[in-house]
Amino acid sequence: MKDYYDVIVVGGGPTGSTAARLAAEGGVKVLLLEKDREIGIPVRCGEAVGEKGISKIVELKEEWIANHIKGLRLVAPDGTKVKVHHEDVGFVLDRKRFDYDLAMNAANAGAEVVTKAYAFGLLTENGTVTGVKVQYIGKQYDIRSKIVIGADGVESRVGRWAGLKTNLKLKDVETCAQMTATNINIDQNYCDFYFSSDIAPGGYLWVFPKNKNTANIGLGLAGDKAQNKSPLSYLKDFMKSNFPDASVLTTVAGGVPVAPYTENIVSNGLMLVGDAAHQSNPISGGGIVLGMLAAQIAGRIASEAVKENNVSEQRLSQYVKEWEKAGGSNHRRAYRLKESVAKLTDDDLNKTAAAIQKKPEDKHTVVNIFKAALINQPKLIPDIFKIFLG
Amino acid sequence: MIKIKKDLCDFCGTCVSVCPDDAIELFETRVIINNEICTDCLRCVKVCPFDVLEAGS
Ligand SMILES: Cc1cc2nc3c(=O)[nH]c(=O)nc-3n(C[C@H](O)[C@H](O)[C@H](O)COP(=O)(O)OP(=O)(O)OC[C@H]3O[C@@H](n4cnc5c(N)ncnc54)[C@H](O)[C@@H]3O)c2cc1C
């Protein structure tokens, strides 16, 4: 580590590595800081991504893909299983490899990557962020920079240190527990989503297969619905009744922002990306693709701003403008849908599933399912079309 | 004062994400609540995925 870089990225997840790579490719000096001992672990993620989205951002390597998914199934509270007719199939990734290689790509593009490096504060001068305070193997360092990019995940504090209010409301975070379980009887071709107030109130439970008898099985509860029983207890109950003979290879906790769109992600010398900027999809909680999309924009603009020697909030807000076009307007719509979906009762969900099952299978599209679920809210129909059909 | 049952903690940071006072520090496998800034709002207690946090006296 030196005492100055043009751009310092805090956080070595997929969004931090992507921002670091793009900035380095722009020809500026980049430092990427990760607090943990190894990039890529622990994996607090279901690891599912849509093929269309991810392949626009990176050239996929076969080693990153644990399993190719052919379809999605939704399970209603009464057990009705609806097969979704869906164009965009996807993958369950091996995020250990994925995150690791993304950081390596950033390094190969010229960024310096450091692990066990914990950012614990910012340097500021006259209202501009001018660097990061870092704790690295028992010693503290002040490292100066022109731009700091906060890619420090759901637990982000970088923005707060610069005065941006990024803490989440309880209802805008999904609190999650996940197990990777093997020796289970699943269909490797399908990602399953269970909706029920008994299984995961204010969220859903997922079964994302990693191979023929192994899956990431996890659930998220709305943060305001987890007070009496924790996500881990809900998950243990589900495992006991559905996969009593499973061997559990990993057990993790995690949080995902399912929050309103926010433009409050830049200030003088500072940008936020990924979960730190609440860019994950408020309906699904998926944040890999969206965060990396934003990180590409942020990394490129950071390098341009450094070269122009103008890191003012106004210059950096070019990132917000481009992100608004790429993902922001859809995020607003998705949040409106989330708020309405959150009000659906188990009875509403059962009725929706029954109504869909009456239609031929090629009509079981995401759009039709949301339309049936929100039948009493015709105002939301344009949002549904725009989100899922673009 | 919030009590941390350290043996149960998975260091996931969900508590940090909801803390309105920036009173929680999380560094790999260490979590600390700064009682001087904590206002005992208990949001972290409510949201913890593994029931690590407890309202204490
Ligand atoms: C249980 C669960 C399941 C999920 N399933 C899916 C899914 O199937 N598909 C999907 O698309 N998304 C999913 N998500 C969301 C997805 O994991 C995130 O959106 C994604 O990881 C965000 O990437 P990021 O780079 O912004 O943050 P992260 O991947 O969280 O990376 C942030 C990094 O910053 C580091 N860091 C934090 N603070 C500091 C600091 N002060 N100094 C240095 N380093 C720091 C952290 O150690 C971490 O490595 C899931 C999330 C959870 C919790």
Side-chain angles (χ1 to χ4, degrees):
Chain A
M1 268 189 303
K2 305 179 187 65
D3 55 12
Y4 171 83
Y5 294 82
D6 295 320
V7 176
I8 301 176
V9 181
V10 179
T15 72
S17 291
T18 302
R21 176 171 63 81
L22 267 286
E25 285 172 355
V28 301
K29 295 240 166 316
V30 181
L31 174 67
L32 176 63
L33 301 170
E34 169 54 51
K35 72 172 160 57
D36 288 349
R37 62 173 75 83
E38 185 170 347
I39 302 271
I41 55 164
V43 179
R44 305 185 189 281
C45 185
E47 307 180 282
V49 287
E51 179 173 1
K52 260 192 217 154
I54 192 79
S55 43
K56 269 187 220 149
I57 302 175
V58 279
E59 203 180 311
L60 285 165
K61 285 196 195 161
E62 205 44 50
E63 310 91 90
W64 295 348
I65 299 170
N67 185 24
H68 292 253
I69 297 298
K70 301 202 174 64
L72 314 176
R73 293 183 301 200
L74 309 181
V75 186
D78 64 10
T80 307
K81 229 176 209 181
V82 177
K83 217 182 255 183
V84 182
H85 188 78
H86 201 53
E87 310 267 283
D88 181 16
V89 289
F91 311 113
V92 178
L93 295 172
D94 177 349
R95 264 196 72 177
K96 260 182 224 168
R97 291 292 298 269
F98 180 72
D99 285 25
Y100 200 85
D101 283 0
L102 292 182
M104 191 136 58
N105 289 349
N108 292 339
E112 184 176 334
V113 179
V114 185
T115 45
K116 278 190 118 33
Y118 173 59
F120 66 94
L122 293 175
L123 308 172
T124 53
E125 269 167 46
N126 307 320
T128 297
V129 174
T130 55
V132 178
K133 295 181 184 180
V134 183
Q135 186 171 314
Y136 175 61
I137 318 205
K139 281 210 182 110
Q140 297 189 342
Y141 302 83
D142 284 355
I143 306 180
R144 294 170 53 81
S145 65
K146 291 222 166 74
I147 296 181
V148 172
I149 299 181
D152 47 339
V154 68
E155 73 262 45
S156 178
R157 295 171 70 211
V158 168
R160 299 192 219 186
W161 295 330
L164 302 174
K165 280 213 164 296
T166 59
N167 58 296
L168 291 160
K169 288 189 182 153
L170 285 185
K171 71 179 177 80
D172 290 331
V173 63
E174 288 283 313
T175 168
C176 307
Q178 178 178 276
M179 297 181 180
T180 305
T182 193
N183 284 344
I184 53 175
N185 184 14
I186 49 166
D187 185 336
Q188 164 169 22
N189 295 314
Y190 290 94
C191 278
D192 288 342
F193 300 77
Y194 291 74
F195 295 88
S196 155
S197 62
D198 289 335
I199 296 176
Y204 63 87
L205 178 143
W206 60 88
V207 179
F208 294 167
K210 297 207 73 165
N211 62 40
K212 65 179 188 332
N213 64 354
T214 310
N216 292 330
I217 305 172
L219 56 80
L221 315 182
D224 57 352
K225 297 206 165 70
Q227 195 169 357
N228 299 323
K229 184 172 163 186
S230 71
L232 185 61
S233 309
Y234 276 101
L235 182 58
K236 279 196 198 145
D237 288 351
F238 182 86
M239 294 300 292
K240 212 191 226 167
S241 40
N242 291 271
F243 302 111
D245 302 324
S247 283
V248 176
L249 306 175
T250 64
T251 306
V252 289
V256 201
V258 286
Y261 177 74
T262 173
E263 296 173 342
N264 260 335
I265 54 174
V266 292
S267 75
N268 297 322
L270 180 99
M271 306 162 100
L272 300 178
V273 296
D275 282 9
H278 307 168
Q279 284 160 338
S280 42
N281 180 319
I283 302 178
S284 66
I288 302 170
V289 169
L290 289 169
M292 288 173 71
L293 197 62
Q296 279 189 318
I297 302 171
R300 170 172 48 79
I301 287 176
S303 76
E304 289 169 6
V306 165
K307 286 184 277 184
E308 290 162 23
N309 206 11
N310 177 3
V311 299
S312 66
E313 180 175 328
Q314 201 199 358
R315 175 66 185 92
L316 301 184
S317 64
Q318 176 69 28
Y319 156 52
V320 187
K321 281 189 205 122
E322 290 188 30
W323 168 241
E324 162 85 38
K325 274 205 199 119
S329 32
N330 243 359
H331 192 115
R332 285 203 181 82
R333 295 185 191 108
Y335 189 77
R336 283 198 289 269
L337 278 197
K338 171 209 140 174
E339 294 264 272
S340 300
V341 169
K343 291 187 193 119
L344 297 174
T345 62
D346 282 359
D347 195 40
D348 295 332
L349 294 168
N350 288 334
K351 280 186 184 143
T352 304
I356 289 293
Q357 288 300 67
K358 278 193 203 128
K359 297 186 177 179
E361 254 193 35
D362 65 328
K363 293 277 187 311
H364 297 189
T365 59
V366 183
V367 167
N368 283 341
I369 292 166
F370 271 96
K371 270 168 67 187
L374 300 170
I375 195 154
N376 298 322
Q377 297 184 64
K379 268 199 216 136
L380 289 173
I381 290 188
D383 285 344
I384 297 172
F385 274 98
K386 285 232 169 69
I387 293 175
F388 299 109
L389 300 176
Chain B
M1 225 173 71
I2 313 274
K3 243 178 72 187
I4 309 175
K5 291 178 254 171
K6 289 203 166 129
D7 293 350
L8 300 183
C9 185
D10 194 42
F11 313 100
C12 72
T14 309
C15 54
V16 183
S17 78
V18 298
C19 178
D21 306 310
D22 197 25
I24 311 179
E25 185 88 26
L26 167 69
F27 175 23
E28 198 163 34
T29 53
R30 194 178 70 205
V31 62
I32 300 163
I33 298 183
N34 184 338
N35 288 315
E36 270 162 37
I37 12 184
C38 171
T39 54
D40 273 328
C41 74
L42 304 186
R43 281 176 220 180
C44 56
V45 175
K46 290 176 187 160
V47 90
C48 174
F50 281 10
D51 271 343
V52 174
L53 303 168
E54 209 173 66
S57 51

